[in-house]
Amino acid sequence: MKLIVGLGNPERRYQGTRHNVGFMVLAELARQCGAGRPKTKFHGEVVDAVVGGQKALLLSPLTYMNRSGISVHEARDFHKLPLEELLIVCDDLNLPLAKLRFRASGSAGGQKGLADIIRRLGSQEFARLRIGIGAPPDGWDAADYVLSRFTTAEEKEIETAVATAVEAVGRWAADGVEECMNRYNHGEKDS
């Protein structure tokens, strides 16, 4: 079984913000691949699904971004999943708007949700799909920027990125992270 986690913040006031791109991807995955209504479990919202031909649990932590590891750790331990069956989908302000980047492992790169997951799991050895939200404009605080909404002009690009990310998550479930790095990390050198 795969554990696919989309990061974001609960509450209506955070819907559509840059920091909630992971939730956007999970919502679309649930719409396309989910089996049944969402349930509250593991300090999050879960949906059973079949993604890329694989049984999967879609998890959107409801612990707020900076405490995402609580939810991920509980779900991973309950299902006794090896870390190679885990994929985290999150925003990245160090990537250009709508750019996708897969990694098999690595640091949090400043993403607070990833940092908490790494800390609670005691490992960086899990796949992640980062979606670029662009860098903050001059004079903007990074925390304020990630909680801001996309401009009208940016929304089309993000909609396309979310659709591509949904496809990419299916590819990850079917073929693994190396295939996804080769296919979706355009213009990068990956080993």
Side-chain angles (χ1 to χ4, degrees):
M1 183 176 83
K2 307 292 184 184
L3 176 58
I4 302 166
V5 181
L7 300 187
N9 285 313
E11 292 187 50
R12 186 173 304 253
R13 66 185 168 135
Y14 296 114
Q15 287 179 356
T17 62
R18 296 171 191 277
H19 226 14
N20 276 29
V21 167
F23 276 9
M24 293 176 201
V25 172
L26 263 278
E28 185 58 22
L29 269 170
R31 190 185 71 73
Q32 291 183 24
C33 307
R37 299 181 56 78
K39 300 175 194 120
T40 303
K41 194 171 185 180
F42 309 122
H43 289 90
E45 185 175 276
V46 298
V47 175
D48 292 315
V50 176
V51 178
Q54 302 292 316
K55 183 178 176 186
L57 183 68
L58 307 179
L59 172 63
S60 298
L62 299 177
T63 53
Y64 293 90
M65 181 67 77
N66 296 357
R67 300 181 69 214
S68 297
I70 294 169
S71 181
V72 174
H73 188 257
E74 283 184 13
R76 195 278 314 251
D77 280 4
F78 181 85
H79 290 286
K80 297 178 176 49
L81 295 173
L83 290 179
E84 53 268 11
E85 303 301 323
L86 171 63
L87 175 67
I88 306 296
V89 182
C90 63
D91 63 286
D92 190 331
L93 58 72
N94 296 310
L95 287 176
L97 182 70
K99 181 174 177 57
L100 303 185
R101 183 169 70 186
F102 269 97
R103 289 288 183 257
S105 63
S107 74
Q111 215 286 351
K112 306 269 192 214
L114 273 179
D116 191 58
I117 292 167
I118 290 168
R119 185 175 66 77
R120 290 181 190 269
L121 294 181
S123 177
Q124 301 179 17
E125 302 300 314
F126 56 84
R128 68 280 320 262
L129 170 57
R130 295 177 183 254
I131 301 168
I133 60 170
D138 288 340
W140 273 67
D141 176 71
D144 291 336
Y145 180 71
V146 299
L147 296 178
S148 70
R149 298 191 185 289
F150 294 104
T151 66
T152 303
E154 293 171 328
E155 284 177 357
K156 287 278 190 223
E157 287 185 76
I158 286 300
E159 286 174 16
T160 300
V162 167
T164 303
V166 167
E167 169 195 301
V169 170
R171 176 76 59 185
W172 170 81
D175 300 325
V177 72
E178 295 294 330
E179 170 67 21
C180 290
M181 288 167 62
N182 291 331
R183 182 177 291 258
Y184 296 99
N185 294 1
H186 302 293
E188 294 186 28
K189 294 178 182 175
D190 292 304
S191 55

